Amino acid sequence: MNTTTKIQTNGHNKMTDHNAVVAGLSQILAESYTLHLKTHNFHWNVTGPMFQPLHSVFEEQYSELAEAVDDIAERIRALGHPAPGSYSEFQSLSSIKEASGNHKALEMVRELLEGHQTISQTANKVTAIAQDVGDEASADLMIQRIHVHDKAAWMLRSFLEN
Amino acid sequence: MTSNPCLKQNQHQAILNGLAQLLGDTKTIYLKIKNYHWNASGAIYQKFHMMFESQYADLASGFDKVGDRIRALGVPAPVSQTQLNNPSALQETSGTYKSREIIRDLLEDQKSAIGTARSVFLEAVNAEDRTTADLMIQRIQAHEKTASTLRSLLNISKS
């Protein structure tokens, strides 16, 4: 890393570095909201003998995601940028695709597991970008999100093991 | 196929279409309020904070109840971005906003949701689906209460 990427003495990051963090946080926001909706969808539409436990785990997970998007949006605002907050922005920013068609219970679990893994990987990249420019607050938020997504992934994975 | 033997097929479908639209309206307003909450600027931002919090809670609970009712009528709940956005009469927003624009826009959305809930109510009464009719009365009451709060804010700002 060369000396031109050092943070300024007033604590603000250089604008270009800052933009990369905001872009990363915006992607995390879009993916988290998309996964929130997908999880809520599956909460209602799951069927079969696993209905009760999955209905309940999905509820826990979509509720957590609904709160998480507020923290992520607030961080983007704190960095002085507008936060994306519409379906069309989410669709263009998110690498997680919305739910389509009818799924069997275990397919739902697999899709959500993939979603959590995707966000965990995105958050890992954003952590590195934030740390590179000395934005520890964004890095810290991303590390918290990785914890949550890894835990969610573990719970979902346990349904797939027989 | 109808899960309620008292309902005729066409009545059942009309009620389901209306509920799907109300589900879309509800989640779109919810997301718009999040968007406004995050991106609002102007002096009365702080005043909005509490109002947004209480509207979130009501919309989340309304969304759950309408979705549950759709499932109880025996069909999958339509809950993807495309499905929620398509039936909804509301326009989504992006960018940053001024306080009065926000109130006016949210008031229009409440009126649309009330209109949707009223038409589902009439379909449900017609089909003697009292459970859906009762839920629609609750949603109309909730949206009317929010609309009156928003109207008061506009009147206060005018004087």
Side-chain angles (χ1 to χ4, degrees):
Chain A
M1 190 158 124
N2 70 46
T3 51
T4 57
T5 56
K6 274 187 185 160
I7 58 166
Q8 293 166 359
T9 48
N10 65 4
H12 291 295
N13 307 316
K14 280 180 71 85
M15 199 47 83
T16 47
D17 303 332
H18 188 133
N19 286 345
V21 176
V22 169
L25 290 171
S26 300
Q27 187 179 336
I28 293 280
L29 176 58
E31 289 177 349
S32 301
Y33 197 85
T34 307
L35 192 58
H36 157 75
L37 266 188
K38 202 175 208 177
T39 310
H40 206 146
N41 183 328
F42 292 166
H43 159 80
W44 268 323
N45 297 324
V46 65
T47 54
M50 295 295 282
F51 172 80
Q52 197 60 50
L54 288 178
H55 185 68
S56 141
V57 166
F58 293 167
E59 179 169 9
E60 214 173 278
Q61 296 187 345
Y62 80 68
S63 304
E64 195 283 331
L65 288 165
E67 287 183 24
V69 291
D70 286 330
D71 295 335
I72 301 160
E74 277 166 21
R75 184 66 203 146
I76 296 172
R77 296 295 289 137
L79 290 170
H81 287 249
S86 63
Y87 296 128
S88 42
E89 286 168 298
F90 292 159
Q91 265 162 354
S92 69
L93 289 167
S94 171
S95 59
I96 297 173
K97 296 296 157 219
E98 61 177 351
S100 60
N102 296 325
H103 293 291
K104 297 245 181 271
L106 289 185
E107 287 165 8
M108 290 180 177
V109 173
R110 254 179 233 114
E111 260 203 49
L112 296 181
L113 171 60
E114 253 174 55
H116 286 284
Q117 285 168 338
T118 300
I119 300 182
S120 188
Q121 284 159 10
T122 310
N124 207 18
K125 286 180 199 151
V126 183
T127 307
I129 295 169
Q131 280 171 342
D132 262 358
V133 297
D135 178 358
E136 292 302 326
S138 297
D140 181 64
L141 176 62
M142 289 301 95
I143 292 167
Q144 288 174 40
R145 296 308 305 151
I146 293 169
H147 275 296
V148 171
H149 289 293
D150 288 354
K151 185 176 172 187
W154 153 55
M155 289 194 172
L156 293 171
R157 214 178 287 115
S158 72
F159 284 100
L160 299 175
E161 284 164 9
N162 281 313
Chain B
M1 193 178 96
T2 163
S3 62
N4 182 335
C6 302
L7 288 182
K8 290 185 193 129
Q9 186 63 46
N10 60 340
Q11 292 176 324
H12 188 247
Q13 197 51 52
I15 291 169
L16 284 173
N17 293 346
L19 286 172
Q21 182 173 339
L22 188 59
L23 195 72
D25 286 355
T26 307
K27 198 66 171 179
T28 302
I29 300 175
Y30 173 88
L31 180 57
K32 278 176 84 166
I33 293 180
K34 270 200 187 290
N35 192 350
Y36 282 143
H37 198 171
W38 296 335
N39 296 313
S41 57
I44 58 173
Y45 174 78
Q46 282 302 326
K47 278 192 194 164
F48 281 5
H49 190 79
M50 293 286 287
M51 183 184 79
F52 285 153
E53 290 290 328
S54 82
Q55 290 184 18
Y56 274 153
D58 171 67
L59 291 164
S61 135
F63 187 70
D64 283 344
K65 285 177 183 161
V66 174
D68 282 349
R69 185 67 198 141
I70 294 174
R71 292 299 287 132
L73 288 170
V75 300
V79 198
S80 68
Q81 292 178 0
T82 312
Q83 287 169 319
L84 290 169
N85 216 8
N86 279 347
S88 174
L90 312 181
Q91 293 297 309
E92 61 174 357
T93 47
S94 61
T96 51
Y97 314 94
K98 294 275 179 277
S99 306
R100 287 181 65 83
E101 294 167 28
I102 293 176
I103 302 174
R104 270 205 205 92
D105 185 45
L106 289 178
L107 179 57
E108 286 308 308
D109 291 349
Q110 292 298 328
K111 288 196 242 171
S112 300
I114 292 166
T116 307
R118 279 223 177 94
S119 61
V120 183
F121 171 76
L122 293 175
E123 289 285 355
V125 168
N126 202 23
E128 297 185 4
D129 174 359
R130 291 182 184 84
T131 317
T132 300
D134 178 63
L135 176 61
M136 289 306 100
I137 292 172
Q138 291 173 39
R139 296 312 305 150
I140 292 167
Q141 282 171 336
H143 288 297
E144 282 180 345
K145 189 177 163 199
T146 305
S148 82
T149 306
L150 294 167
R151 265 194 210 98
S152 308
L153 279 171
L154 279 177
N155 289 339
I156 288 163
S157 316
K158 270 180 193 164
S159 61

